[in-house]
Each structure stands twice: as structure tokens, then as C-alpha cells.
Amino acid sequence: MGVAPRGKWCLSRGVNLLPPTTVQLALAGFLLVGTVGRASTVHVGNTAAALDLARQFAAVGWVDTKSASGFSTLSSGVGLNPEWFLSAGHSSGSAENTRVGFGDNAFADLGGGNYVEVSEIYVLSSEILERDLALYHMVDVAPSLFPNATLFEGELALGDLTTAVGYGLFTEVGGSARLTGNRAAYSSRITEFGFADSPDYFLMTTFFGPEDPGFDPLGGASNQGDSGGGVFVEGGDGTMQLAAIHSHGYGDKTAHGSRSGSLRLSDHQVRNWLYAITSEHSQDPANIIPEAHPVLLLAAAVWLALRRRGRAG
């Protein structure tokens, strides 16, 4: 898969052995894959608030992938409907060794057998600076066991408030990193579309400090285990809708000013790929992900042309 360039980290690459908890010992061989460097997803707010916020996003689930050596890795993903689960391409493995669940705590789900099996995995790209995306196909899963997210169909703008949700390492500012297996959430604003060597189809959010205008009490940065987790924005009907999937970031993720990068699902190549895969392999036509609306494609093309012209000027 290659090595992340200096100063950049990806949310589910590089294996770090972590201090075992009682639950982890019972699940011998469980690892968390993620960023290289200091491991501490930062939340300005308190733990209880981050966990409470995450409970509003039941469609965000965890992914457990077992390697040939017998160890497992933890990452995140989002349920789209009873057949399809979306995650990051770089954190995907083989379908026969992958399980998915949606509980508040991944370790509790694994210990209690509360998960579903994956039938097939389709990968758009496993490179973090390309369209880093994977679709997991489930067969014969009861809809009640598979919460669904709604795709955001509007237009994203700089300054939009987002809520990012995943199962990665968690700590409060000044605390030590903890592998709890909990689903947690943080808020941040979109500050760029593309950054450094990240293409325009990535949205970037920034971890603001208390002195910054964009500061939020539940601000933070993604980290190990958050790869594939969802980035949500408010839709036109007032509900929180899925706009992007976690991929990578820049800077010291424990410090204010660090950036988290997520793949925009409104990108026309992404949406066309989602439609192509689900239209060919869905058992139920109701589970096909529609293509991007032509009006949105035109708006995206105009926006990209203006952005490139502005950069050239």
C-alpha cells in the first residue's frame, strides 16, 4: 500500500499494539490499525458528550477484519441499506474474514456475537490520495439489524458544520489514548476542498482551538480506527445526512490546526461507481444507490472549473 508521506497520516494504516483491556484479552489477537505517530484522537468536549452525540448516528458501524496471522483490525463504516455498507478502501480486507456491527461498543458486539458476515467487498481504490472507498455486500440480512444512512444530495460549502463519527482511539485534551471500542463523534467545519496533495474530491475539516472563530466545544480530529467512518451534514429536511467517508489527515492530530480528509460522496465518479456496483449486484432493486442527479453533476463541474481558474489566477 505504500507509506504515507511525511506529515500526513491515514486513519487506518500502520499497526500499533495497544495496552490490552479485560475485554481485549478475552478477544485475544485484536489489533487497531491506523496512523503512525502519537495515538490520541482529540476531543475538546468531555467523553460523555462525544458518546451521546454518536448515538444519534446508529448507521455508523465497526469493521473487524482478521488477517492471515490470526490478528484482527478495527476500522469504521456506514450502512446504506440492508445490503450495502460503505467504508474506506485502504482498510478493507477479504470478505471471508470480515465482520460488521452497529453497537455502541465494538468489543461488546464481538464478544456477544452481535455482527453480520460480509459476502463480497468491492474496492474503488485502496490508495488514500485516490478515491479511497470500498463497498461491502451483505446477503440475507434482516433490515432491522442494519441501520441506514441517507446520502446528502445538496451542495457542500466552506464553513459547513460537519459531524464525524467512528470507532477510533479516543482521549480528551491532555489525556492519554484509550482503545475503548466506543463509537464517538466530534464536530468541525469544512475549511478546504483538497489540501496539499489531496485532490479536490476530498473535503478537509480543521481541529480549531478555543481562540479560533471556528471553535466548537465538540471539536476534534480523527485517528486510528476511524477510517471508513461517516462525515455528516444537515440536509434540507433538517436531518443529518452522509456527505463523506473518512480517509486521511495532515499534521499532529493531537494539536489544534490538524486537518482530517474525507472523500466526498457527491463526486460524480464515486456516485457512478456506487450505482454501477449496486445495480449489478443488489438482490433487491430497492437497494440500488442512484446515480448523481444531473443538476448536481453540472453544479459540481461549474464549481470545479471556477475553483481551478481561481487557483490559476
Side-chain angles (χ1 to χ4, degrees):
M1 290 185 181
V3 178
R6 188 181 184 90
K8 179 165 75 274
W9 42 272
C10 53
L11 300 180
S12 184
R13 184 177 301 182
V15 176
N16 292 318
L17 285 171
L18 300 165
T21 64
T22 301
V23 176
Q24 287 172 274
L25 289 174
L27 299 169
F30 193 86
L31 300 178
L32 190 74
V33 291
T35 63
V36 177
R38 278 198 289 167
S40 47
T41 301
V42 179
H43 291 261
V44 178
N46 60 58
T47 303
L51 299 182
D52 285 343
L53 180 60
R55 292 188 183 98
Q56 301 176 33
F57 299 89
V60 175
W62 51 264
V63 181
D64 169 49
T65 304
K66 190 174 293 295
S67 68
S69 61
F71 287 94
S72 291
T73 57
L74 177 69
S75 56
S76 304
V78 185
L80 299 179
N81 56 53
E83 285 191 60
W84 297 103
F85 182 88
L86 200 56
S87 189
H90 75 260
S91 58
S92 61
S94 62
E96 60 269 23
N97 293 320
T98 301
R99 298 174 293 184
V100 166
F102 292 93
D104 292 335
N105 186 278
F107 298 149
D109 282 351
L110 283 165
N114 299 318
Y115 52 79
V116 296
E117 305 288 347
V118 177
S119 302
E120 191 64 63
I121 297 178
Y122 303 92
V123 179
L124 178 57
S125 176
S126 59
E127 297 297 323
I128 62 171
L129 293 181
E130 297 179 7
R131 290 174 172 84
D132 180 16
L133 200 64
L135 260 177
Y136 294 18
H137 193 200
M138 320 296 172
V139 177
D140 299 326
V141 176
S144 60
L145 300 177
F146 210 85
N148 307 328
T150 299
L151 289 177
F152 178 69
E153 300 288 0
E155 185 175 348
L156 296 169
L158 296 179
D160 282 353
L161 183 65
T162 71
T163 300
V165 190
Y167 287 79
L169 288 176
F170 183 87
T171 185
E172 295 179 31
V173 171
S176 58
R178 289 171 289 152
L179 174 55
T180 63
N182 287 327
R183 179 173 51 207
Y186 69 89
S187 299
S188 58
R189 294 189 180 276
I190 299 174
T191 49
E192 289 118 340
F193 292 101
F195 175 78
D197 48 0
S198 292
D200 286 341
Y201 44 76
F202 285 99
L203 67 81
M204 310 302 296
T205 58
T206 300
F207 177 24
F208 287 114
E211 70 284 357
D212 296 312
F215 172 76
D216 188 278
L218 271 176
S222 300
N223 205 327
Q224 295 174 310
D226 284 322
S227 281
V231 177
F232 295 80
V233 298
E234 186 174 339
D237 60 358
T239 63
M240 297 301 289
Q241 300 176 358
L242 181 64
I245 293 293
H246 291 313
S247 177
H248 62 279
Y250 294 83
D252 180 354
K253 48 201 173 293
T254 68
H256 295 137
S258 64
R259 293 171 171 86
S260 298
S262 302
L263 179 64
R264 292 189 293 115
L265 299 179
S266 58
D267 174 73
H268 72 280
Q269 289 192 34
V270 169
R271 286 299 294 269
N272 288 344
W273 178 77
L274 291 174
Y275 170 76
I277 295 298
T278 59
S279 62
E280 180 178 353
H281 300 286
S282 292
Q283 293 184 319
D284 184 344
N287 294 328
I288 295 174
I289 307 302
E291 293 179 285
H293 193 281
V295 173
L296 291 180
L297 291 179
L298 177 61
V302 171
W303 173 86
L304 184 58
L306 292 175
R307 178 176 173 79
R308 288 174 174 167
R309 181 180 299 176
R311 282 181 172 177

